Amino acid sequence: MRRITILGATGSIGQSTLDLIAREPDLFEVVALTGGRNIERLASDARVCGAQIAVTAHDDLLDDLRAALAGSGIEAAAGAEAISEAAARPADWVMSAIVGAAGLPPGLKALEQGATLALANKESLVAAGPLLMETAARHDARILPVDSEHSAVFQALTGESMDAVRRVIITASGGAFRDWPRERLANVTVEQASTHPNWAMGQRITIDSASMFNKALEMIEAREFFDLDPEQIEVLVHPESLVHALVGFCDGALMAHVGPPDMRHAIGYALNWPERRPLPVAALDLAAIGTLSFSAPDAGRYPALRLAREVMAKRGLAGAVFNAAKERALDHFIAGRIGFLAMSDVVEEVLTRLCAEKGLVDAAISLDSVTHLDHLSRRCADRVVKEQDR
């Protein structure tokens, strides 16, 4: 049996992972589950899959978790340090599905004990790509992509030489407002931005999809994961969300990965790699679909894509600044303090200010330096928002 840990078990990726594991319980032993404030779900899932330990990120909910697990024999813990300790427990395969920069420390702990890290936490590669890849290499661990776009690229590259790759195209649905005129976007509500036309995802990533910040993160992630030049990475708007990525080769060929918008495919591929096993996802009826459409994203409509290219050009710790500023700007939008379009303005201003400070983003990439820049960037974003209110 393979030992499995799921970081972020109560989110959509974690729930899809548990769904796949539950279909073949004789193949997997669950070591640890971690979650947030949904204690009922975390405890229920831990009982069903027989986890050794369940951890909530929130210290104030430890008593609730202990009560929910009473009599089960399952250990309960709480807090960021406890999540990292759970990730350090011996496991063969660890799903990293914690949202945001908080996923980096436990992801590093999983790699340090030699596990295969199934990476759905794109922020880890954006903020600290070289650190994550170096840690995996040093401990003979492996990182497998779980973002649908990067899983698609990974699959298209199987058996291919990177020397033959000329371009990588990741697709974007365009989000909830892809057909809205730009002037309407200034009045977008949080509720409107939290609904995706194709994918069932959490609120934060759904809003990031509408602003295209998720695609900006994925551009940087692709650069770090596949060691691409920024000029090789392209984005196309593909409303059907069926072609997840394409890889272009030196002979002019394009290899596309086509599949339904169901995250269980990418999760299942990482879970079963290097084999393919049957998955409970729909088979596409291409004749019924009829048409697949693509268009270039409007640079003026999606400034996040331009900012991603600037971050890739700067490198160093610029990704940590970008990610933290993006997360904090999203916090302010959800809280109603800034408008939808102001999120990119806040991120751009934070990048401008912090990247101008001599040596700040050029410092060596370590967990400490990433954490420091993350903290500075969030504080700077808060200041920018306050200044906008004046």
Side-chain angles (χ1 to χ4, degrees):
M1 296 180 73
R2 296 174 66 204
R3 297 167 299 174
I4 304 293
T5 285
I6 304 176
L7 307 173
T10 55
S12 60
I13 297 295
Q15 290 294 294
S16 293
T17 306
L18 284 165
D19 173 70
L20 294 178
I21 290 173
R23 294 170 186 270
E24 297 184 288
D26 294 339
L27 297 181
F28 307 106
E29 173 188 354
V30 178
V31 176
L33 299 182
T34 80
R37 293 197 172 276
N38 193 342
I39 298 301
E40 182 180 354
R41 169 54 61 193
L42 178 60
S44 174
D45 288 339
R47 286 177 178 271
V48 169
C49 69
Q52 297 174 15
I53 184 172
V55 186
T56 171
H58 303 282
D59 294 291
D60 60 309
L61 296 179
L62 178 56
D63 288 343
D64 292 343
L65 181 58
R66 282 176 173 159
L69 293 173
S72 67
I74 299 170
E75 190 178 345
E81 186 174 341
I83 289 176
S84 289
E85 289 173 356
R89 294 192 176 204
D92 302 303
W93 190 92
V94 176
M95 167 57 75
S96 175
I98 296 173
V99 175
L104 176 59
L108 290 171
K109 288 293 184 183
L111 292 173
E112 287 168 1
Q113 54 100 359
T116 292
L117 186 68
L119 191 64
N121 172 258
K122 58 174 65 69
E123 294 88 353
S124 292
L125 276 177
V126 171
L131 175 62
L132 211 67
M133 304 305 282
E134 289 165 11
T135 302
R138 188 166 65 253
H139 294 277
D140 197 26
R142 180 178 291 277
I143 303 175
L144 296 176
V146 175
D147 267 351
S148 59
E149 296 81 3
H150 303 89
S151 176
V153 173
F154 185 79
Q155 293 180 56
L157 289 173
T158 299
E160 303 287 350
S161 168
M162 287 301 297
D163 291 338
V165 175
R166 293 294 178 268
R167 57 202 289 230
V168 166
I169 303 169
I170 57 176
T171 60
S173 68
F177 312 124
R178 62 193 177 204
D179 298 321
W180 286 32
R182 193 176 189 281
E183 55 269 20
R184 285 187 64 191
L185 299 182
N187 299 316
V188 161
T189 68
V190 173
E191 182 180 5
Q192 289 170 327
S194 300
T195 303
H196 196 283
N198 300 339
W199 295 90
M201 305 182 293
Q203 181 189 46
R204 296 180 71 86
I205 192 172
T206 301
I207 297 173
D208 280 349
S209 175
S211 65
M212 211 70 105
F213 265 110
N214 74 316
K215 209 54 51 179
L217 294 174
E218 288 167 8
M219 292 168 67
I220 302 169
E221 186 182 5
R223 190 261 172 272
E224 297 295 340
F225 195 96
F226 301 106
D227 194 23
L228 299 167
D229 293 330
E231 296 75 20
Q232 291 179 284
I233 303 168
E234 304 173 27
V235 174
L236 284 178
V237 176
H238 170 53
E240 295 84 5
S241 293
L242 299 177
V243 178
H244 303 299
L246 306 95
V247 177
F249 296 94
C250 58
D251 60 359
L254 278 173
M255 189 176 296
H257 177 281
V258 185
D262 187 331
M263 282 304 300
R264 290 178 298 178
H265 178 270
I267 295 167
Y269 185 81
L271 183 63
N272 297 304
W273 184 90
E275 300 178 5
R276 285 187 185 270
R277 295 178 63 84
L279 295 173
V281 299
L284 293 181
D285 183 343
L286 293 178
I289 293 166
T291 302
L292 299 175
S293 55
F294 304 90
S295 62
D298 182 342
R301 185 184 184 89
Y302 301 116
L305 303 183
R306 170 180 56 80
L307 295 176
R309 294 206 177 276
E310 293 177 9
V311 168
M312 288 191 288
K314 288 183 175 72
R315 299 217 65 188
L317 289 163
V321 175
F322 179 76
N323 179 69
K326 189 280 299 180
E327 288 188 20
R328 199 68 188 114
L330 179 56
D331 291 340
H332 286 295
F333 171 66
I334 292 173
R337 289 187 286 267
I338 62 173
F340 181 77
L341 294 177
M343 287 189 289
S344 59
D345 296 334
V346 170
V347 174
E348 183 165 17
E349 183 61 23
V350 173
L351 278 168
T352 298
R353 294 184 187 186
L354 294 189
C355 290
E357 293 191 25
K358 187 176 175 66
L360 196 58
V361 299
D362 298 326
I365 299 177
S366 67
L367 183 55
D368 286 344
S369 64
V370 170
T371 302
H372 178 62
L373 258 294
D374 183 273
H375 178 66
L376 288 181
S377 301
R378 291 171 193 271
R379 288 178 57 190
C380 185
D382 290 344
R383 288 196 301 273
V384 171
V385 170
K386 285 184 179 179
E387 291 166 7
Q388 290 180 347
D389 285 341
R390 292 174 185 171

